[in-house]
Amino acid sequence: MTFKRKRAEEPATPSAADAEGLRPPDDGPTGASRPTRRRLPLWDRLKYLVLLTLLWLLMVWAAMGDNPLLPFGDACRQQATSTGWVFVLAGIELLRQAHFLVSESWSRYHHFWINRFFGGIERQSHRRFGAWTRFRIARVVRWVFWITVVAFVFGRVQGTGPVQGLYELPAAVWGAMPFLIRMTFYIAFGILQFAAIFWFLSRGGVDVYYPDDIKTRFTDVWGQDHVVERVRENIVFLENPEDIEDRGGYVPGGILLWGPPGTGKTLMAEAVAGETGKPYVFVDPGAFINMFMGVGVLKVKSLFRKVRKLSLRYGGVIVFFDEADSLGRRGIASGGPAGQPGFTGPFSHAGCNGMSYLSGETSKIFMGGGGSGGGGDMGT
C-alpha cells in the first residue's frame, strides 16, 4: 500500500547549486534547521576550573608550610605573582566554556566551527594524508603535549625552568627507583594474591580421560538397545557433519540422557567416547556451584578452553555433564513446590523429568526444598 503526500507538504525542489553542494542550505532567520551544541552538565563545565583551584590552593598550602609565619593572604598574593601559569590555564578554560555557551545557543556559530573550521581541517588532512599517517601524527602530538605538561610541572616542583626540569627528570626517576620498585611489588603481589585465590577456586570438578584410558564400548551397555540405536545415529551425524548438511540435515548440538540413577547414562557417555576414539570429559554436578560470585564463570571458560584444545588435538571430544539440571539458574525455576507445573507425579507416564520413579512423600520433600537452593551463581 502506498500513500501520496499533499502538494503543500512536499519540499521545494532544490536549485542546481544546492544539489551540487556549492551553497549550504539556508536555515532562515532563526537558524532552527541547524542543530546547536548539546548542553554540558554543570560538573563538566566546572571540573577543570575546580581542579586548577585545588592545585593553586595546594601550592599556597605548600608555601605556608615552608614559612609557618606567612599569613594566608600574603601566601595567596605571593603565589598569584609566582604561579601565573595557573591563571593562564584558568583563563583558557573560561574562554573554552564561553565558546561552548555560545555554541549551545547560536546554531550558525556552532555550524561554522564544526563544519567549516574543524571540518575543513579534517577534510584537508584526509586529502593530504592516509589513515595510518594521521594516526601517527596524532600520537606524536599527544606525546609532545604530555611531555610538555610533565616538564612544566616537574620544573615548577624543582624550582627550575621546564627545559632544566625535563633534563633532571631521568635522574629524579632513577633516585626514586627503589620506592617505585617496592610499590610495584606491593601492587603486583596484591593482584597476584587475588588472582591466585580465584584460580585455585576455579580448579576441580572436571575430569579428562584420554582415548587409551577408555575401554567401554556399546557391547558393555545392556538393557538400553533403543537408546544405543539413537546414540549411534547421532554419532553418524557427528562424524560426517558436512555430508549431513549437504543433504539438508542439521547436526545436533548434543544428546540429553534422561532417567533415574543407575540406568546407565554415564556408562552410555563412556561408550560413545570409546566407540569414537575421542577424549572423554566428565563434568561433576557440583563443578559450577561455588561460594563466590564469578568463580563459576571462570570454571566455564576454563572448561571450554580445555575442550577446544582437546578437539583440535584429537579431532573431537565427548563432554558429559552429569546431572545437567543442577547447572545454572534454570534448576531454580524447575524446582518449585509440589503441585507446581514442571514435574509430573510419581509413577506417571511421559514426564520428561527425573521424578517419576520416586514415591509420593519423597517427591514432595524433594520438590519442596528445591526452590530454596540453586545451581550455579550469577552468569554461570
Side-chain angles (χ1 to χ4, degrees):
M1 183 179 294
T2 59
F3 296 91
K4 294 183 178 180
R5 303 173 63 183
K6 295 181 180 179
R7 185 174 299 275
E9 297 178 354
E10 295 179 357
T13 304
S15 61
D18 294 336
E20 294 175 0
L22 301 179
R23 185 181 60 179
D26 188 12
D27 57 356
T30 59
S33 62
R34 288 176 179 170
T36 58
R37 181 181 176 85
R38 183 176 58 86
R39 293 188 178 275
L40 289 175
L42 181 61
W43 170 247
D44 290 337
R45 293 191 188 279
L46 301 179
K47 58 182 180 181
Y48 292 113
L49 294 174
V50 171
L51 179 62
L52 291 173
T53 303
L54 293 177
L55 179 62
W56 186 73
L57 291 176
L58 182 62
M59 290 186 291
V60 171
W61 184 23
M64 295 177 63
D66 295 336
N67 187 5
L69 301 179
L70 184 65
F72 178 75
D74 295 341
C76 291
R77 285 189 291 270
Q78 179 181 348
Q79 292 299 318
T81 56
S82 60
T83 58
W85 57 275
V86 176
F87 294 95
V88 173
L89 293 178
I92 295 175
E93 177 63 20
L94 288 174
L95 184 62
R96 190 172 75 102
Q97 294 301 328
H99 164 71
F100 289 162
L101 283 173
V102 176
S103 298
E104 291 170 2
S105 57
W106 191 4
S107 60
R108 285 182 178 272
Y109 182 84
H110 179 65
H111 173 77
F112 169 78
W113 285 102
I114 295 299
N115 296 332
R116 295 293 181 86
F117 185 78
F118 295 109
I121 296 176
E122 185 72 15
R123 289 189 293 270
Q124 289 293 331
S125 64
H126 279 271
R127 188 177 298 113
R128 293 177 179 272
F129 307 106
W132 176 241
T133 304
R134 293 198 309 272
F135 168 74
R136 289 186 295 180
I137 293 175
R139 183 171 56 183
V140 170
V141 170
R142 285 194 297 268
W143 273 100
V144 171
F145 172 77
W146 287 112
I147 289 175
T148 304
V149 171
V150 170
F152 272 96
V153 172
F154 189 74
R156 176 57 189 172
V157 172
Q158 294 293 108
T160 60
V163 178
Q164 185 68 21
L166 187 62
Y167 179 77
E168 297 177 357
L169 181 61
V173 172
W174 182 260
M177 192 61 68
F179 174 76
L180 295 177
I181 293 176
R182 188 165 59 250
M183 294 302 299
T184 304
F185 173 77
Y186 290 155
I187 296 173
F189 181 76
I191 296 175
L192 180 63
Q193 186 180 20
F194 186 77
I197 292 176
F198 274 83
W199 180 85
F200 178 77
L201 292 176
S202 62
R203 301 295 95 187
V206 177
D207 299 324
V208 180
Y209 300 92
Y210 294 94
D212 296 338
D213 302 330
I214 304 173
K215 308 300 181 182
T216 308
R217 300 293 185 268
F218 283 140
T219 55
D220 299 321
V221 182
W222 294 358
Q224 303 288 350
D225 296 338
H226 62 292
V227 180
V228 171
E229 291 300 325
R230 179 63 64 87
V231 171
R232 286 182 183 273
E233 294 177 2
N234 284 270
I235 290 178
V236 174
F237 293 158
L238 296 176
E239 289 181 347
N240 303 291
E242 293 83 3
D243 296 340
I244 301 300
E245 292 177 353
D246 291 342
R247 288 172 173 80
Y250 68 94
V251 178
I255 304 174
L256 178 62
L257 301 177
W258 165 78
T263 53
K265 299 185 294 296
T266 305
L267 184 66
M268 183 71 68
E270 293 180 4
V272 172
E275 292 286 342
T276 57
K278 307 298 182 184
Y280 173 67
V281 179
F282 178 82
V283 182
D284 191 74
F288 305 110
I289 301 177
N290 304 278
M291 179 185 301
F292 301 104
M293 180 182 299
V295 177
V297 180
L298 293 177
K299 284 192 173 184
V300 172
K301 292 183 177 181
S302 175
L303 170 65
F304 277 86
R305 190 181 301 113
K306 181 181 300 183
V307 167
R308 289 190 186 98
K309 291 181 180 179
L310 292 173
S311 179
L312 291 174
R313 181 178 178 182
Y314 293 94
V317 60
I318 305 299
V319 185
F320 179 70
F321 292 87
D322 193 13
E323 298 183 14
D325 55 342
S326 65
L327 301 177
R329 289 291 179 181
R330 297 184 179 181
I332 298 177
S334 62
Q340 198 175 31
F343 289 114
T344 56
F347 302 104
S348 62
H349 177 66
C352 187
N353 53 67
M355 292 295 164
S356 58
Y357 62 91
L358 298 177
S359 64
E361 296 300 325
T362 307
S363 177
K364 292 180 182 179
I365 292 174
F366 182 86
M367 289 187 290
S372 60
D377 55 0
M378 295 296 291
T380 304

